[in-house]
Amino acid sequence: RSNAIFRESTTAMWVVSAIGAFTAFMAATIAITQFDIKRVIAYSTLSQLGYMAFALGTGAWVASIFHLMTHAFFKGLLFLGAGSVIHGMHHEQDIRNMGGLRKHMPVTFWTFLIAAAANAGLVPLAGFWSKDEIIVGSWVSSSFPAWGNVIAIVGLVSAFLTSLYMFRLVFLVFFTKPRYDTAHLQPRESPPVMTVPLILLAIPSAVIG
């Protein structure tokens, strides 16, 4: 809503775009190193906010709001999915102590997979359309023709890192061999009060873009 003010200052636009690009990249690198399932998603949120910020800084106003909307669905789904995993694992949050949960928690697995793919920007899920618009918007920026290209490249690298940390999370949680005490812990699917919202959020996460 403040774009008319920012547009009058090239310096202000540059600062917003630079901080946004730095945030998108740096938060993504931090997410790769985390082992707490909620922390991975939290740093992912910071990274996606960086996308929205550098879109604003390069003049891609509509793309930024578009990503805010699509991101709301798949990131909400990721956090609820993480809650479902924590519930099924009896409050365990360390992904190093998980593994093989797709067999025990199929609804959580499939909905989480949709959210992860949408966050990674895979076609044709919601995140692809908005993230692609942000990167293209930066590349063709009339505010910063050359700087916009640099920002777009940072956005592409950050998108790759997003795929890396999201599917690292998916594989460590839902695939591989169980890394928990199977004798004392039996993971279970969450009740409908948790799985129904997951399904309801998975639909727009897949198609709203």
Side-chain angles (χ1 to χ4, degrees):
R1 292 178 68 86
S2 303
N3 71 80
I5 302 172
F6 279 84
R7 193 166 11 195
E8 297 302 313
S9 171
T10 303
T11 302
M13 294 280 283
W14 188 91
V15 169
V16 171
S17 61
I19 292 176
F22 175 79
T23 302
F25 176 79
M26 183 57 68
T29 64
I30 297 173
I32 295 172
T33 67
Q34 300 301 307
F35 294 105
D36 185 311
I37 186 171
K38 290 195 297 183
R39 282 178 177 265
V40 176
I41 302 170
Y43 280 111
S44 172
T45 302
L46 292 178
S47 180
Q48 301 310 305
L49 290 173
Y51 270 94
M52 298 171 209
F54 79 68
L56 294 174
T58 54
W61 320 104
V62 174
S64 180
I65 296 298
F66 185 24
H67 195 54
L68 177 65
M69 183 190 71
T70 61
H71 177 258
F73 289 101
F74 58 75
K75 190 52 61 69
L77 177 55
L78 283 171
F79 272 115
L80 286 178
S84 179
V85 168
I86 293 168
H87 179 268
M89 288 292 294
H90 303 283
H91 306 290
E92 176 62 68
Q93 294 184 200
D94 193 327
I95 59 177
R96 292 171 293 187
N97 299 326
M98 299 182 186
L101 296 185
R102 72 186 190 281
K103 300 175 182 177
H104 304 285
M105 309 181 72
V107 176
T108 301
F109 164 64
W110 284 108
T111 54
F112 196 95
L113 181 63
I114 290 171
N119 193 28
L122 299 187
V123 183
L125 303 177
F128 164 77
W129 305 102
S130 56
K131 194 174 288 188
D132 194 59
E133 284 295 308
I134 286 176
I135 293 170
V136 171
S138 300
W139 185 265
V140 301
S141 173
S142 58
S143 303
F144 307 106
W147 178 242
N149 292 352
V150 174
I151 294 291
I153 292 170
V154 174
L156 282 171
V157 173
S158 300
F160 168 75
L161 294 177
T162 303
S163 301
L164 188 61
Y165 67 68
M166 283 315 307
F167 284 99
R168 166 184 176 264
L169 183 62
V170 168
F171 284 118
L172 285 176
V173 173
F174 295 103
F175 291 87
T176 72
K177 295 180 180 179
R179 296 180 301 281
Y180 51 86
D181 187 354
T182 54
H184 297 92
L185 177 61
Q186 293 298 322
R188 62 187 186 281
E189 183 62 275
S190 298
V193 70
M194 297 176 73
T195 55
V196 170
L198 293 178
I199 295 169
L200 294 177
L201 280 173
I203 297 170
S205 296
V207 304
I208 202 169

